[in-house]
């Protein structure tokens, strides 16, 4: 059982991955925008990443 909430994000290179926490998420998109700098596990670089929005909610 995973007690940490995971966030699906997409980096500036287009790589999609999950992160255990999305840094500074509590500040909200109105204050700093939806993106954050986090290290992408695919390209191993610090990249701008944004949460992936689910489009097929029913």
């Amino acid at each position: 059982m995973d007690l940490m909430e995971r966030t699906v994000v997409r980096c500036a290179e287009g790589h999609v991955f999950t992160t255990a926490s999305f840094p500074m998420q509590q500040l909200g998109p109105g204050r700093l925008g939806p993106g954050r700098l986090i290290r992408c596990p695919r390209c191993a670089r610090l990249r701008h990443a944004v949460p992936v929005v689910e489009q097929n909610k029913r």
Side-chain angles (χ1 to χ4, degrees):
M1 183 171 153
D2 186 15
L3 296 176
M4 273 194 189
E5 187 174 324
R6 309 273 311 165
T7 303
V8 178
V9 296
R10 175 177 286 117
C11 83
E13 293 293 318
H15 302 135
V16 176
F17 57 95
T18 62
T19 182
S21 63
F22 201 55
M24 297 171 57
Q25 189 172 23
Q26 72 274 9
L27 294 178
R31 183 165 176 189
L32 295 175
R36 302 289 177 265
L37 285 175
I38 57 176
R39 188 164 307 278
C40 174
R42 295 275 314 274
C43 57
R45 292 184 173 207
L46 203 57
R47 299 276 187 208
H48 183 260
V50 294
V52 174
V53 178
E54 291 182 39
Q55 294 178 353
N56 295 329
K57 285 187 176 182
R58 291 183 181 184

